[in-house]
Amino acid sequence: MMKEIYQVPTSQSLQGDVIISGAKNAVLPLMAATLLCRGISIINNVPQLDDVNTMAEVLRYLGAKVEHQNSSLTIDTRECDGYQAPYHLVTKMRASIYVLGPLLARLGQASVALPGGCAWGPRPVDLHIAGMQALSAKVELSHGNIHAHAGRLQGADFTFSISSVGATVNLLLASVLADGTTRLFNAAIEPEIDNLVDQLNAMGAQIFGKGTSTLVIEGVTELKAATIDAIPDRIEAGTYLIAGAITQGKVTVKQVQPAHLTALIDSLTATGTLICCEDDSITIDAQQRALQPISIKTGPYPLFATDLQPQWMALCVSLTGVSQVTDTIYPDRFQHVAELCRLGANIRVKGNTACIIGTPNLSGAPVKASDLRAGAALILAGLIASDYTEISDIHHLDRGYQNLIGKFATLGATIKRSHHPVATNQAIAAPLLSLCG
Ligand code: EPU
């Protein structure tokens, strides 16, 4: 049997420009929003990624026609009447739960499989459910599914007990067609939410307070199809900026919104790199000075993004000195730690904090990507580890990094995707037996 791996050789300092794709975490809610109308919606700047394909599959299952050409997605919902999102699709991607709000709002019913946990913990959806109930939906959980029904949803006040991107998305998608006024307090303020508000307002919704944690929605009876551009992927951009830092190179990320990356830029500047922002590009220059590791703590936007935490850890691991990485969003998001340690990193995790003693002497080894961002961290560490780093379970990276090999190649890194034989049971059993015995 064969499995696909990335082979990452030690790289020179990365140099050059890389064009950043549209944000998958913006596109997924934009796609779900098209279920709110009967018409032909267009989303531009859409990356070719597995998660986008999965959401397209969910929409098709519900009756939509979806075409993805170049970077434009055309979604025809004129004959879209399905209200069930089954487990075999939801289990591929948690964001499938975004269809709950729009189906309930337009059709008065929705049946969506519970997404279950992910690599680093349970990741509940209680806020999504409580929010629908606040809008007068009746919700039952049975056989692993969320069954929700309502006449017309009723506008209401709802306060998120913690900031949640996904629950804010779902509540927006439900409340735009509700009867009366909805006020959402402590709503997430990530740029992807603003992108969704822009799309919904272009469809005819009445949402006020964009960019703030209090959103006021005056429900309307109908929405029409619209055309929207997805915002640039701030996490992809951040990953390439950290790649510039870790290889002591000079990298420009283009077609980005620098304001979305303030926390990362501040932290990179504190390490000693030089950062130059233009209207839609950011250049990092890490060639001239010895960098020092900087401690970070993740938090809701505009604080340091949890989706850049593993990549930042890879940087700290490679810089001489002591630092700490704390994740306040996902206290257990540390699956990459054991893999980074296989490359020679010195990391200890206590609670939601990883304590790192950095060393530039990492050595290449076979490692496993446990999730998308963990995989990105291993690529970054692999660029400076000696010899080759072979990363398996790379399907995780296909969910969120478009043309990863091509983009790294433009910067001078020659990452290869190849097939690798998987050990047979017998071959695996032998070393295990010797370990046990
Ligand atoms: N939470 C609850 N109950 C809920 C919802 C969330 O307790 O009903 C908790 C979560 O367990 C977590 C915190 O609230 O501790 C924040 O989670 P949030 O709901 O904001 O996360 P999400 O919407 O499920 C999105 C991104 C993630 C990103 C997080 C945090 C998408 C499709 N996913 O997830 O992206 O980590 O926000 O910024 O937008 C990734 O791209 O690699 C990724 C995991």
Side-chain angles (χ1 to χ4, degrees), residues 24-26 28-29 51 94-95 98 120 122-129 162-167 188 190 192 234-235 305-307 328-331 333 371-373:
K24 86 159 170 82
N25 288 350
L28 300 175
D51 275 9
R94 309 178 48 76
Y98 288 166
W120 62 81
R123 289 181 79 185
V125 290
D126 54 316
L127 293 173
H128 300 240
I129 292 169
I162 44 176
S163 177
S164 163
V165 176
E190 270 69 3
E192 293 75 17
R234 59 196 168 98
I235 306 301
T306 176
D307 292 339
T328 72
I329 304 288
Y330 301 120
R333 192 180 203 171
D371 67 84
L372 170 59
R373 310 305 173 187

Side-chain angles (χ1 to χ4, degrees), residues 130-131 134-135 154-160 171 181-185 215:
L135 299 179
Q154 299 297 310
D157 284 359
F158 184 75
T159 302
F160 297 95
L171 264 285
T181 306
T182 299
R183 292 187 301 168
L184 301 178
F185 300 105
L215 296 170

Side-chain angles (χ1 to χ4, degrees), residues 226-286:
T227 297
I228 183 89
D229 293 348
I231 56 169
D233 193 326
R234 59 196 168 98
I235 306 301
E236 188 197 24
T239 302
Y240 286 104
L241 288 172
I242 298 172
I246 204 167
T247 61
Q248 296 182 291
K250 185 173 179 188
V251 168
T252 300
V253 290
K254 295 197 151 175
Q255 295 182 19
V256 297
Q257 293 192 25
H260 294 170
L261 283 145
T262 309
L264 176 70
I265 289 170
D266 290 349
S267 300
L268 283 169
T269 306
T271 65
T273 64
L274 299 173
I275 303 271
C276 174
C277 296
E278 306 275 342
D279 282 353
D280 65 352
S281 72
I282 308 169
T283 300
I284 181 163
D285 186 346

Side-chain angles (χ1 to χ4, degrees), residues 6-151:
Y6 277 134
Q7 284 188 312
V8 185
T10 318
S11 176
Q12 305 292 313
S13 296
L14 297 189
Q15 306 277 340
D17 301 348
V18 61
I19 308 272
I20 297 306
S21 302
K24 86 159 170 82
N25 288 350
V27 168
L28 300 175
L30 298 178
M31 292 175 76
T34 65
L35 293 170
L36 286 163
C37 68
R38 285 189 189 276
I40 301 178
S41 308
I42 296 175
I43 308 171
N44 295 315
N45 199 27
V46 177
Q48 298 278 356
L49 294 172
D50 282 359
D51 275 9
V52 171
N53 295 338
T54 301
M55 187 58 100
E57 259 185 88
V58 174
L59 298 187
R60 285 192 192 106
Y61 188 90
L62 296 168
K65 295 192 179 89
V66 185
E67 269 186 39
H68 193 174
Q69 281 192 328
N70 302 319
S71 59
S72 278
L73 204 55
T74 305
I75 303 175
D76 181 349
T77 53
R78 286 175 299 180
E79 289 169 16
C80 187
D81 286 314
Y83 65 93
Q84 293 172 315
Y87 183 60
H88 75 270
L89 292 175
V90 178
T91 192
K92 281 191 184 178
M93 185 186 71
R94 309 178 48 76
S96 309
I97 201 179
Y98 288 166
V99 302
L100 178 67
L103 292 178
L104 195 51
R106 187 164 71 82
L107 302 173
Q109 61 179 335
S111 180
V112 179
L114 280 162
C118 77
W120 62 81
R123 289 181 79 185
V125 290
D126 54 316
L127 293 173
H128 300 240
I129 292 169
M132 298 305 148
Q133 288 170 327
L135 299 179
S136 304
K138 299 272 175 290
V139 182
E140 261 176 55
L141 302 183
S142 64
H143 305 296
N145 292 309
I146 306 167
H147 301 284
H149 59 97

